[in-house]
Amino acid sequence: MKIIKVNTKRGLELKGAIFDAQGTDTVLVMLTGICSNIFQNELLYSTGKLLQENGIATIIGHAHDSFSCFAYTDFSTGKQKISGTFDDNFEMVYEDVEAYVKYAKELGFKNIILGGHSLGSNKIIHYLGNTKDDFIDYFIISSPVDIIHWWNVMPDVEKCFELAQKWVKEGRGDDILPFLFGGFSPMKAKTVLGFYNLKNCPILSKRGETASLRNMKPNGSFIIGSKDSVTGDSPKGFMEQLNLWTAHPERNRVIEVKGASHIFYGMHDIYGKTVLDCIQNHFKGA
């Protein structure tokens, strides 16, 4: 694995990572979720390593500033933790995803698979539903989030949102809130407010847009853990409903990983093998 630098149209330099595989024409471009980067999330590293070992390159895409890490004290445990993705700009989602896709093309990859985990899936849905380019051969969407429903189930989110609104009005949008967003992540005030720009999986809340799903051109796979805590009582049903919004649901796969949580805790190897299986099966059927 090596760190890469990718430039966006607005001039921001994104930092990501690549697991290169010699002689391959195929790459998975994987967008990370909230509070997730290559150093924190073993799911990303183990998946990239497994694909590399099987002749498939992987680019881990950190949008905006999610590569950055800082230490904070979790006062509930008294221990130091490392976090990232405290500063994101959801108005620039399309541009960030596009930058990684075009970077993959510049490297000469002919088969580009676009993947995402958690909020990273919402980001690639936004890109796929709005791009006029035909650069993507296949998609892998895993553990996407119904943002509005998420607000209703995460602890203290309304309190966090109200303070974020107040601070942004006062010109303090770059200040980090004094408590963890959703109970798990430090977050800038302006980043908290930006979440409303990614309402493209409105299965539970019934509030948002489905045009992005409907406008996606490539076929792909939806992966979900059977114990995903943010997708209601039926995680698989959540994904099946998402698939029904696509143009050709019969051409896509919906895969449930038994026993897996939203972050696939303790099952990162199984997640990686599932992604590998999706890619290999796609090319067998091509």
Side-chain angles (χ1 to χ4, degrees):
M1 182 196 81
K2 69 177 182 179
I3 302 303
I4 56 175
K5 297 179 180 180
V6 178
N7 293 318
T8 65
K9 289 179 179 178
R10 66 186 180 279
L12 180 68
E13 182 183 81
L14 304 175
K15 292 182 180 178
I18 186 169
F19 295 80
D20 210 352
Q22 294 296 321
T24 184
D25 289 331
T26 302
V27 64
L28 168 67
V29 176
M30 182 81 168
L31 270 291
T32 65
I34 184 175
C35 197
S36 175
N37 62 40
I38 190 65
F39 297 112
Q40 306 167 276
N41 191 344
E42 180 63 28
L43 177 148
L44 301 171
Y45 185 90
S46 61
T47 299
K49 191 67 176 173
L50 178 65
L51 295 185
Q52 182 184 48
E53 292 169 354
N54 284 271
I56 300 168
T58 303
I59 292 173
I60 304 298
H62 304 125
H64 199 61
D65 195 31
S66 61
F67 183 84
S68 297
C69 296
F70 70 101
Y72 70 96
T73 300
D74 183 342
F75 289 101
S76 64
T77 64
K79 295 181 179 180
Q80 284 276 305
K81 290 187 176 180
I82 304 295
S83 186
T85 322
F86 61 96
D87 178 15
D88 207 340
N89 186 341
F90 297 108
E91 293 181 355
M92 297 296 173
V93 165
Y94 182 93
E95 189 176 294
D96 288 352
V97 178
E98 180 186 53
Y100 282 107
V101 171
K102 290 189 173 181
Y103 178 82
K105 282 193 68 66
E106 290 168 3
L107 290 181
F109 290 108
K110 296 178 181 178
N111 305 310
I112 301 177
I113 299 157
L114 187 59
H117 175 256
S118 192
L119 195 66
S121 286
N122 295 72
K123 291 181 176 183
I124 72 165
I125 289 170
H126 178 73
Y127 170 81
L128 289 170
N130 291 278
T131 186
K132 295 180 181 179
D133 297 323
D134 291 309
F135 298 152
I136 305 303
D137 189 70
Y138 194 75
F139 69 76
I140 297 177
I141 290 170
S142 58
S143 307
V145 179
D146 181 339
I147 295 294
I148 303 302
H149 171 73
W150 195 46
W151 284 112
N152 295 327
V153 299
M154 298 297 284
D156 298 323
V157 168
E158 283 303 322
K159 180 175 71 173
C160 188
F161 181 68
E162 290 172 6
L163 183 59
Q165 282 185 311
K166 180 175 183 294
W167 280 14
V168 168
K169 288 181 180 178
E170 294 172 353
R172 299 177 59 189
D174 285 320
D175 289 356
I176 296 175
L177 297 176
F179 36 75
L180 301 181
F181 175 72
F184 69 91
S185 177
M187 193 72 63
K188 284 188 175 184
K190 65 181 182 183
T191 300
V192 170
L193 300 189
F195 275 91
Y196 277 109
N197 291 316
L198 280 180
K199 299 181 293 183
N200 53 20
C201 294
I203 300 302
L204 301 171
S205 68
K206 309 302 182 185
R207 294 169 58 194
E209 58 91 5
T210 55
S212 294
L213 285 161
R214 191 163 53 249
N215 293 337
M216 296 193 306
K217 297 175 186 176
N219 304 321
S221 291
F222 294 86
I223 302 172
I224 194 73
S226 67
K227 294 185 178 181
D228 191 309
S229 60
V230 297
T231 51
D233 296 330
S234 176
K236 186 177 182 181
F238 179 94
M239 294 298 257
E240 288 173 339
Q241 289 183 63
L242 278 185
N243 185 37
L244 288 176
W245 281 107
T246 65
H248 300 286
E250 72 282 357
R251 300 178 186 174
N252 303 323
R253 299 176 68 194
V254 176
I255 303 166
E256 181 184 51
V257 179
K258 296 293 185 182
S261 66
H262 180 75
I263 60 174
F264 290 81
Y265 181 76
M267 301 180 69
H268 297 150
D269 56 336
I270 295 176
Y271 175 86
K273 290 175 182 176
T274 304
V275 170
L276 176 61
D277 176 72
C278 288
I279 296 172
Q280 290 177 334
N281 273 285
H282 167 65
F283 286 109
K284 283 180 183 177

